[in-house]
Amino acid sequence: MITGGRTRSLTGPTSKIRIWARAPALELNRLMDMSSREIRMPLSEVVAVLQDLNEFVVSLDRLGSRQASGTADEYTVGTFIADWDVARRLARARRVISVALDAQLSEEDNAEIDALCGQGRFYGTDSTTSPSTDQSS
């Protein structure tokens, strides 16, 4: 099962899988300045992640167009997600980025990033509304 948040690297002394808890708002207000920070990643990994993301963006756009024209439904989208192994491939992309962060940032910096990732909107949680009733956009 793939859950929300960022998976920690499986190598190195500080590596561990974390269970998410909401961080206090005051702690998140003092986040590191990320605007000028750079993280290095192997080009082959970046290209693999970009290829996957590009396939998903283009395919989902096409599926959305088909849904709008009435030639696709929720079953078609579900079939795409299953057949194209979307969850595993997105988890791999998340892992590639997480490994680079874990290797190049301090434990404190990584904890702050983990806290930010834990604040995402996750489908199926009690605080998430269904897409048809969500008026936030």
Side-chain angles (χ1 to χ4, degrees):
M1 175 184 210
I2 297 171
T3 59
R6 182 169 92 84
T7 304
R8 307 295 290 173
S9 164
L10 298 176
T11 60
T14 61
S15 301
K16 57 188 117 175
I17 296 176
R18 303 237 171 149
I19 304 298
W20 294 115
R22 294 258 182 216
L26 291 175
E27 184 178 331
L28 294 176
N29 288 333
R30 63 168 190 74
L31 289 175
M32 70 181 124
D33 177 20
M34 289 187 259
S35 61
S36 63
R37 303 285 297 263
E38 293 183 13
I39 298 296
R40 297 178 76 74
M41 295 173 53
L43 183 57
S44 61
E45 295 287 339
V46 172
V47 170
V49 167
L50 285 174
Q51 286 174 324
D52 281 348
L53 293 175
N54 189 53
E55 286 180 21
F56 300 147
V57 168
V58 171
S59 297
L60 289 169
D61 181 62
R62 290 178 180 170
L63 281 167
S65 294
R66 287 183 57 197
Q67 279 185 309
S69 69
T71 59
D73 58 14
E74 292 83 11
Y75 177 78
T76 308
V77 175
T79 300
F80 163 74
I81 290 170
D83 289 352
W84 287 53
D85 206 9
V86 172
R88 184 195 57 79
R89 291 168 65 192
L90 287 173
R92 180 189 175 285
R94 178 178 65 184
R95 187 183 74 248
V96 165
I97 294 168
S98 292
V99 166
L101 292 171
D102 288 345
Q104 298 172 55
L105 296 177
S106 71
E107 217 175 299
E108 182 180 288
D109 288 345
N110 276 302
E112 291 179 13
I113 292 169
D114 289 347
L116 283 173
C117 291
Q119 291 183 355
R121 290 180 33 192
F122 303 105
Y123 182 83
T125 60
D126 292 340
S127 62
T128 304
T129 59
S130 67
S132 60
T133 60
D134 185 3
Q135 302 296 318
S136 62
S137 40

PDB file of all heavy atoms in Angstrom, residues 20-50:
ATOM      1  N   TRP A  20       3.321   9.587   9.556  1.00  0.00           N
ATOM      2  CA  TRP A  20       3.072  11.027   9.550  1.00  0.00           C
ATOM      3  C   TRP A  20       2.233  11.487  10.722  1.00  0.00           C
ATOM      4  O   TRP A  20       1.295  10.847  11.122  1.00  0.00           O
ATOM      5  CB  TRP A  20       2.363  11.437   8.263  1.00  0.00           C
ATOM      6  CG  TRP A  20       3.226  11.231   7.093  1.00  0.00           C
ATOM      7  CD1 TRP A  20       3.014  10.363   6.085  1.00  0.00           C
ATOM      8  CD2 TRP A  20       4.470  11.860   6.806  1.00  0.00           C
ATOM      9  NE1 TRP A  20       4.037  10.412   5.187  1.00  0.00           N
ATOM     10  CE2 TRP A  20       4.941  11.321   5.606  1.00  0.00           C
ATOM     11  CE3 TRP A  20       5.230  12.820   7.449  1.00  0.00           C
ATOM     12  CZ2 TRP A  20       6.134  11.735   5.037  1.00  0.00           C
ATOM     13  CZ3 TRP A  20       6.412  13.219   6.873  1.00  0.00           C
ATOM     14  CH2 TRP A  20       6.846  12.676   5.682  1.00  0.00           C
ATOM     15  N   ALA A  21       2.599  12.626  11.235  1.00  0.00           N
ATOM     16  CA  ALA A  21       1.801  13.344  12.221  1.00  0.00           C
ATOM     17  C   ALA A  21       1.874  14.814  11.846  1.00  0.00           C
ATOM     18  O   ALA A  21       2.882  15.278  11.336  1.00  0.00           O
ATOM     19  CB  ALA A  21       2.362  13.133  13.621  1.00  0.00           C
ATOM     20  N   ARG A  22       0.826  15.520  12.065  1.00  0.00           N
ATOM     21  CA  ARG A  22       0.834  16.943  11.742  1.00  0.00           C
ATOM     22  C   ARG A  22       1.791  17.687  12.658  1.00  0.00           C
ATOM     23  O   ARG A  22       1.774  17.505  13.867  1.00  0.00           O
ATOM     24  CB  ARG A  22      -0.571  17.534  11.906  1.00  0.00           C
ATOM     25  CG  ARG A  22      -1.545  16.977  10.916  1.00  0.00           C
ATOM     26  CD  ARG A  22      -1.754  17.962   9.820  1.00  0.00           C
ATOM     27  NE  ARG A  22      -2.735  17.404   8.901  1.00  0.00           N
ATOM     28  CZ  ARG A  22      -2.677  17.574   7.625  1.00  0.00           C
ATOM     29  NH1 ARG A  22      -1.702  18.263   7.098  1.00  0.00           N
ATOM     30  NH2 ARG A  22      -3.578  17.072   6.841  1.00  0.00           N
ATOM     31  N   ALA A  23       2.630  18.530  12.064  1.00  0.00           N
ATOM     32  CA  ALA A  23       3.560  19.338  12.855  1.00  0.00           C
ATOM     33  C   ALA A  23       2.841  20.610  13.284  1.00  0.00           C
ATOM     34  O   ALA A  23       1.975  21.114  12.571  1.00  0.00           O
ATOM     35  CB  ALA A  23       4.780  19.684  12.019  1.00  0.00           C
ATOM     36  N   PRO A  24       3.185  21.152  14.425  1.00  0.00           N
ATOM     37  CA  PRO A  24       2.560  22.396  14.865  1.00  0.00           C
ATOM     38  C   PRO A  24       2.794  23.513  13.858  1.00  0.00           C
ATOM     39  O   PRO A  24       3.857  23.602  13.253  1.00  0.00           O
ATOM     40  CB  PRO A  24       3.269  22.704  16.187  1.00  0.00           C
ATOM     41  CG  PRO A  24       3.882  21.418  16.627  1.00  0.00           C
ATOM     42  CD  PRO A  24       4.149  20.631  15.377  1.00  0.00           C
ATOM     43  N   ALA A  25       1.813  24.378  13.690  1.00  0.00           N
ATOM     44  CA  ALA A  25       1.896  25.466  12.711  1.00  0.00           C
ATOM     45  C   ALA A  25       3.080  26.382  12.981  1.00  0.00           C
ATOM     46  O   ALA A  25       3.731  26.849  12.055  1.00  0.00           O
ATOM     47  CB  ALA A  25       0.596  26.263  12.702  1.00  0.00           C
ATOM     48  N   LEU A  26       3.387  26.645  14.240  1.00  0.00           N
ATOM     49  CA  LEU A  26       4.513  27.525  14.550  1.00  0.00           C
ATOM     50  C   LEU A  26       5.817  26.950  14.026  1.00  0.00           C
ATOM     51  O   LEU A  26       6.660  27.674  13.513  1.00  0.00           O
ATOM     52  CB  LEU A  26       4.619  27.734  16.065  1.00  0.00           C
ATOM     53  CG  LEU A  26       3.514  28.552  16.694  1.00  0.00           C
ATOM     54  CD1 LEU A  26       3.671  28.570  18.213  1.00  0.00           C
ATOM     55  CD2 LEU A  26       3.524  29.966  16.153  1.00  0.00           C
ATOM     56  N   GLU A  27       5.987  25.643  14.146  1.00  0.00           N
ATOM     57  CA  GLU A  27       7.213  25.002  13.664  1.00  0.00           C
ATOM     58  C   GLU A  27       7.337  25.141  12.152  1.00  0.00           C
ATOM     59  O   GLU A  27       8.417  25.376  11.633  1.00  0.00           O
ATOM     60  CB  GLU A  27       7.208  23.527  14.051  1.00  0.00           C
ATOM     61  CG  GLU A  27       8.473  22.806  13.675  1.00  0.00           C
ATOM     62  CD  GLU A  27       8.453  21.359  14.115  1.00  0.00           C
ATOM     63  OE1 GLU A  27       7.804  21.049  15.116  1.00  0.00           O
ATOM     64  OE2 GLU A  27       9.093  20.561  13.424  1.00  0.00           O
ATOM     65  N   LEU A  28       6.232  25.038  11.425  1.00  0.00           N
ATOM     66  CA  LEU A  28       6.279  25.134   9.978  1.00  0.00           C
ATOM     67  C   LEU A  28       6.516  26.560   9.504  1.00  0.00           C
ATOM     68  O   LEU A  28       6.977  26.775   8.397  1.00  0.00           O
ATOM     69  CB  LEU A  28       4.992  24.576   9.373  1.00  0.00           C
ATOM     70  CG  LEU A  28       4.815  23.083   9.589  1.00  0.00           C
ATOM     71  CD1 LEU A  28       3.469  22.629   9.036  1.00  0.00           C
ATOM     72  CD2 LEU A  28       5.933  22.299   8.953  1.00  0.00           C
ATOM     73  N   ASN A  29       6.213  27.542  10.335  1.00  0.00           N
ATOM     74  CA  ASN A  29       6.451  28.933   9.957  1.00  0.00           C
ATOM     75  C   ASN A  29       7.934  29.277   9.916  1.00  0.00           C
ATOM     76  O   ASN A  29       8.330  30.261   9.331  1.00  0.00           O
ATOM     77  CB  ASN A  29       5.728  29.883  10.914  1.00  0.00           C
ATOM     78  CG  ASN A  29       4.237  29.843  10.697  1.00  0.00           C
ATOM     79  OD1 ASN A  29       3.764  29.540   9.609  1.00  0.00           O
ATOM     80  ND2 ASN A  29       3.499  30.138  11.751  1.00  0.00           N
ATOM     81  N   ARG A  30       8.782  28.474  10.545  1.00  0.00           N
ATOM     82  CA  ARG A  30      10.215  28.757  10.570  1.00  0.00           C
ATOM     83  C   ARG A  30      10.978  27.869   9.590  1.00  0.00           C
ATOM     84  O   ARG A  30      12.151  27.607   9.776  1.00  0.00           O
ATOM     85  CB  ARG A  30      10.770  28.594  11.973  1.00  0.00           C
ATOM     86  CG  ARG A  30      10.665  27.191  12.508  1.00  0.00           C
ATOM     87  CD  ARG A  30      11.492  27.038  13.779  1.00  0.00           C
ATOM     88  NE  ARG A  30      11.585  25.667  14.162  1.00  0.00           N
ATOM     89  CZ  ARG A  30      12.336  24.738  13.572  1.00  0.00           C
ATOM     90  NH1 ARG A  30      13.085  25.057  12.558  1.00  0.00           N
ATOM     91  NH2 ARG A  30      12.352  23.495  13.993  1.00  0.00           N
ATOM     92  N   LEU A  31      10.340  27.429   8.547  1.00  0.00           N
ATOM     93  CA  LEU A  31      10.976  26.523   7.593  1.00  0.00           C
ATOM     94  C   LEU A  31      12.198  27.145   6.937  1.00  0.00           C
ATOM     95  O   LEU A  31      12.293  28.354   6.780  1.00  0.00           O
ATOM     96  CB  LEU A  31       9.983  26.111   6.507  1.00  0.00           C
ATOM     97  CG  LEU A  31       8.893  25.173   6.984  1.00  0.00           C
ATOM     98  CD1 LEU A  31       7.899  24.933   5.874  1.00  0.00           C
ATOM     99  CD2 LEU A  31       9.474  23.864   7.457  1.00  0.00           C
ATOM    100  N   MET A  32      13.097  26.266   6.572  1.00  0.00           N
ATOM    101  CA  MET A  32      14.332  26.714   5.924  1.00  0.00           C
ATOM    102  C   MET A  32      14.023  27.460   4.625  1.00  0.00           C
ATOM    103  O   MET A  32      12.985  27.255   4.018  1.00  0.00           O
ATOM    104  CB  MET A  32      15.204  25.507   5.620  1.00  0.00           C
ATOM    105  CG  MET A  32      14.635  24.627   4.520  1.00  0.00           C
ATOM    106  SD  MET A  32      15.651  23.226   4.199  1.00  0.00           S
ATOM    107  CE  MET A  32      14.444  21.950   4.435  1.00  0.00           C
ATOM    108  N   ASP A  33      14.939  28.318   4.235  1.00  0.00           N
ATOM    109  CA  ASP A  33      14.800  29.018   2.967  1.00  0.00           C
ATOM    110  C   ASP A  33      15.179  28.045   1.855  1.00  0.00           C
ATOM    111  O   ASP A  33      16.343  27.706   1.692  1.00  0.00           O
ATOM    112  CB  ASP A  33      15.701  30.250   2.947  1.00  0.00           C
ATOM    113  CG  ASP A  33      15.650  30.972   1.611  1.00  0.00           C
ATOM    114  OD1 ASP A  33      14.677  30.771   0.860  1.00  0.00           O
ATOM    115  OD2 ASP A  33      16.586  31.729   1.323  1.00  0.00           O
ATOM    116  N   MET A  34      14.189  27.583   1.105  1.00  0.00           N
ATOM    117  CA  MET A  34      14.438  26.595   0.064  1.00  0.00           C
ATOM    118  C   MET A  34      14.633  27.222  -1.305  1.00  0.00           C
ATOM    119  O   MET A  34      14.961  26.530  -2.252  1.00  0.00           O
ATOM    120  CB  MET A  34      13.274  25.599   0.007  1.00  0.00           C
ATOM    121  CG  MET A  34      13.235  24.680   1.203  1.00  0.00           C
ATOM    122  SD  MET A  34      11.998  23.426   1.017  1.00  0.00           S
ATOM    123  CE  MET A  34      10.711  24.089   2.042  1.00  0.00           C
ATOM    124  N   SER A  35      14.449  28.537  -1.423  1.00  0.00           N
ATOM    125  CA  SER A  35      14.485  29.164  -2.734  1.00  0.00           C
ATOM    126  C   SER A  35      15.852  29.077  -3.418  1.00  0.00           C
ATOM    127  O   SER A  35      15.922  29.022  -4.639  1.00  0.00           O
ATOM    128  CB  SER A  35      14.045  30.621  -2.633  1.00  0.00           C
ATOM    129  OG  SER A  35      14.927  31.329  -1.793  1.00  0.00           O
ATOM    130  N   SER A  36      16.925  29.047  -2.645  1.00  0.00           N
ATOM    131  CA  SER A  36      18.247  29.028  -3.273  1.00  0.00           C
ATOM    132  C   SER A  36      18.987  27.703  -3.067  1.00  0.00           C
ATOM    133  O   SER A  36      20.131  27.578  -3.488  1.00  0.00           O
ATOM    134  CB  SER A  36      19.094  30.175  -2.717  1.00  0.00           C
ATOM    135  OG  SER A  36      19.280  29.983  -1.330  1.00  0.00           O
ATOM    136  N   ARG A  37      18.340  26.729  -2.466  1.00  0.00           N
ATOM    137  CA  ARG A  37      18.982  25.437  -2.223  1.00  0.00           C
ATOM    138  C   ARG A  37      18.947  24.602  -3.499  1.00  0.00           C
ATOM    139  O   ARG A  37      17.995  24.655  -4.265  1.00  0.00           O
ATOM    140  CB  ARG A  37      18.267  24.665  -1.106  1.00  0.00           C
ATOM    141  CG  ARG A  37      18.161  25.362   0.229  1.00  0.00           C
ATOM    142  CD  ARG A  37      19.437  25.415   1.031  1.00  0.00           C
ATOM    143  NE  ARG A  37      19.980  24.162   1.440  1.00  0.00           N
ATOM    144  CZ  ARG A  37      19.803  23.592   2.619  1.00  0.00           C
ATOM    145  NH1 ARG A  37      19.049  24.173   3.516  1.00  0.00           N
ATOM    146  NH2 ARG A  37      20.388  22.450   2.900  1.00  0.00           N
ATOM    147  N   GLU A  38      19.985  23.819  -3.712  1.00  0.00           N
ATOM    148  CA  GLU A  38      20.047  22.924  -4.862  1.00  0.00           C
ATOM    149  C   GLU A  38      20.341  21.516  -4.391  1.00  0.00           C
ATOM    150  O   GLU A  38      21.109  21.315  -3.456  1.00  0.00           O
ATOM    151  CB  GLU A  38      21.136  23.375  -5.833  1.00  0.00           C
ATOM    152  CG  GLU A  38      20.838  24.700  -6.494  1.00  0.00           C
ATOM    153  CD  GLU A  38      21.895  25.090  -7.513  1.00  0.00           C
ATOM    154  OE1 GLU A  38      22.722  24.237  -7.897  1.00  0.00           O
ATOM    155  OE2 GLU A  38      21.887  26.246  -7.926  1.00  0.00           O
ATOM    156  N   ILE A  39      19.738  20.559  -5.068  1.00  0.00           N
ATOM    157  CA  ILE A  39      19.969  19.152  -4.793  1.00  0.00           C
ATOM    158  C   ILE A  39      20.448  18.514  -6.084  1.00  0.00           C
ATOM    159  O   ILE A  39      19.863  18.726  -7.147  1.00  0.00           O
ATOM    160  CB  ILE A  39      18.661  18.457  -4.323  1.00  0.00           C
ATOM    161  CG1 ILE A  39      18.154  19.080  -3.020  1.00  0.00           C
ATOM    162  CG2 ILE A  39      18.858  16.958  -4.172  1.00  0.00           C
ATOM    163  CD1 ILE A  39      19.083  18.897  -1.840  1.00  0.00           C
ATOM    164  N   ARG A  40      21.508  17.745  -5.999  1.00  0.00           N
ATOM    165  CA  ARG A  40      22.054  17.058  -7.164  1.00  0.00           C
ATOM    166  C   ARG A  40      21.474  15.653  -7.226  1.00  0.00           C
ATOM    167  O   ARG A  40      21.348  14.989  -6.206  1.00  0.00           O
ATOM    168  CB  ARG A  40      23.565  17.012  -7.098  1.00  0.00           C
ATOM    169  CG  ARG A  40      24.185  18.414  -7.132  1.00  0.00           C
ATOM    170  CD  ARG A  40      25.676  18.399  -7.024  1.00  0.00           C
ATOM    171  NE  ARG A  40      26.376  17.996  -8.228  1.00  0.00           N
ATOM    172  CZ  ARG A  40      26.530  18.739  -9.325  1.00  0.00           C
ATOM    173  NH1 ARG A  40      25.992  19.928  -9.382  1.00  0.00           N
ATOM    174  NH2 ARG A  40      27.213  18.297 -10.352  1.00  0.00           N
ATOM    175  N   MET A  41      21.131  15.245  -8.462  1.00  0.00           N
ATOM    176  CA  MET A  41      20.599  13.911  -8.690  1.00  0.00           C
ATOM    177  C   MET A  41      21.229  13.360  -9.962  1.00  0.00           C
ATOM    178  O   MET A  41      21.513  14.128 -10.891  1.00  0.00           O
ATOM    179  CB  MET A  41      19.071  13.962  -8.862  1.00  0.00           C
ATOM    180  CG  MET A  41      18.335  14.413  -7.626  1.00  0.00           C
ATOM    181  SD  MET A  41      16.560  14.676  -7.893  1.00  0.00           S
ATOM    182  CE  MET A  41      16.059  13.150  -8.613  1.00  0.00           C
ATOM    183  N   PRO A  42      21.416  12.055 -10.028  1.00  0.00           N
ATOM    184  CA  PRO A  42      21.943  11.467 -11.264  1.00  0.00           C
ATOM    185  C   PRO A  42      21.001  11.771 -12.439  1.00  0.00           C
ATOM    186  O   PRO A  42      19.780  11.637 -12.310  1.00  0.00           O
ATOM    187  CB  PRO A  42      21.985   9.967 -10.973  1.00  0.00           C
ATOM    188  CG  PRO A  42      21.976   9.862  -9.484  1.00  0.00           C
ATOM    189  CD  PRO A  42      21.206  11.048  -8.996  1.00  0.00           C
ATOM    190  N   LEU A  43      21.574  12.188 -13.548  1.00  0.00           N
ATOM    191  CA  LEU A  43      20.777  12.546 -14.716  1.00  0.00           C
ATOM    192  C   LEU A  43      19.885  11.399 -15.164  1.00  0.00           C
ATOM    193  O   LEU A  43      18.720  11.616 -15.535  1.00  0.00           O
ATOM    194  CB  LEU A  43      21.689  12.999 -15.863  1.00  0.00           C
ATOM    195  CG  LEU A  43      20.983  13.481 -17.130  1.00  0.00           C
ATOM    196  CD1 LEU A  43      20.035  14.641 -16.827  1.00  0.00           C
ATOM    197  CD2 LEU A  43      22.010  13.879 -18.176  1.00  0.00           C
ATOM    198  N   SER A  44      20.375  10.176 -15.106  1.00  0.00           N
ATOM    199  CA  SER A  44      19.562   9.030 -15.532  1.00  0.00           C
ATOM    200  C   SER A  44      18.305   8.902 -14.682  1.00  0.00           C
ATOM    201  O   SER A  44      17.227   8.575 -15.204  1.00  0.00           O
ATOM    202  CB  SER A  44      20.376   7.735 -15.458  1.00  0.00           C
ATOM    203  OG  SER A  44      20.795   7.493 -14.123  1.00  0.00           O
ATOM    204  N   GLU A  45      18.411   9.194 -13.383  1.00  0.00           N
ATOM    205  CA  GLU A  45      17.242   9.129 -12.498  1.00  0.00           C
ATOM    206  C   GLU A  45      16.259  10.261 -12.811  1.00  0.00           C
ATOM    207  O   GLU A  45      15.056  10.063 -12.832  1.00  0.00           O
ATOM    208  CB  GLU A  45      17.673   9.200 -11.037  1.00  0.00           C
ATOM    209  CG  GLU A  45      18.490   8.017 -10.578  1.00  0.00           C
ATOM    210  CD  GLU A  45      17.661   6.750 -10.409  1.00  0.00           C
ATOM    211  OE1 GLU A  45      16.427   6.837 -10.263  1.00  0.00           O
ATOM    212  OE2 GLU A  45      18.263   5.665 -10.437  1.00  0.00           O
ATOM    213  N   VAL A  46      16.788  11.453 -13.048  1.00  0.00           N
ATOM    214  CA  VAL A  46      15.940  12.596 -13.381  1.00  0.00           C
ATOM    215  C   VAL A  46      15.175  12.327 -14.679  1.00  0.00           C
ATOM    216  O   VAL A  46      13.964  12.560 -14.763  1.00  0.00           O
ATOM    217  CB  VAL A  46      16.773  13.893 -13.504  1.00  0.00           C
ATOM    218  CG1 VAL A  46      15.928  15.041 -14.046  1.00  0.00           C
ATOM    219  CG2 VAL A  46      17.383  14.257 -12.155  1.00  0.00           C
ATOM    220  N   VAL A  47      15.874  11.809 -15.682  1.00  0.00           N
ATOM    221  CA  VAL A  47      15.232  11.525 -16.971  1.00  0.00           C
ATOM    222  C   VAL A  47      14.145  10.458 -16.797  1.00  0.00           C
ATOM    223  O   VAL A  47      13.039  10.596 -17.340  1.00  0.00           O
ATOM    224  CB  VAL A  47      16.279  11.099 -18.026  1.00  0.00           C
ATOM    225  CG1 VAL A  47      15.613  10.568 -19.287  1.00  0.00           C
ATOM    226  CG2 VAL A  47      17.186  12.282 -18.364  1.00  0.00           C
ATOM    227  N   ALA A  48      14.415   9.416 -16.023  1.00  0.00           N
ATOM    228  CA  ALA A  48      13.409   8.369 -15.803  1.00  0.00           C
ATOM    229  C   ALA A  48      12.168   8.930 -15.122  1.00  0.00           C
ATOM    230  O   ALA A  48      11.029   8.621 -15.516  1.00  0.00           O
ATOM    231  CB  ALA A  48      14.011   7.229 -14.975  1.00  0.00           C
ATOM    232  N   VAL A  49      12.356   9.778 -14.123  1.00  0.00           N
ATOM    233  CA  VAL A  49      11.216  10.391 -13.430  1.00  0.00           C
ATOM    234  C   VAL A  49      10.451  11.302 -14.388  1.00  0.00           C
ATOM    235  O   VAL A  49       9.218  11.270 -14.446  1.00  0.00           O
ATOM    236  CB  VAL A  49      11.689  11.162 -12.176  1.00  0.00           C
ATOM    237  CG1 VAL A  49      10.591  12.060 -11.632  1.00  0.00           C
ATOM    238  CG2 VAL A  49      12.170  10.187 -11.104  1.00  0.00           C
ATOM    239  N   LEU A  50      11.172  12.118 -15.160  1.00  0.00           N
ATOM    240  CA  LEU A  50      10.504  13.015 -16.112  1.00  0.00           C
ATOM    241  C   LEU A  50       9.728  12.242 -17.176  1.00  0.00           C
ATOM    242  O   LEU A  50       8.638  12.654 -17.574  1.00  0.00           O
ATOM    243  CB  LEU A  50      11.522  13.949 -16.773  1.00  0.00           C
ATOM    244  CG  LEU A  50      12.029  15.082 -15.896  1.00  0.00           C
ATOM    245  CD1 LEU A  50      13.137  15.849 -16.612  1.00  0.00           C
ATOM    246  CD2 LEU A  50      10.900  16.014 -15.504  1.00  0.00           C
TER     247      LEU A  50
END
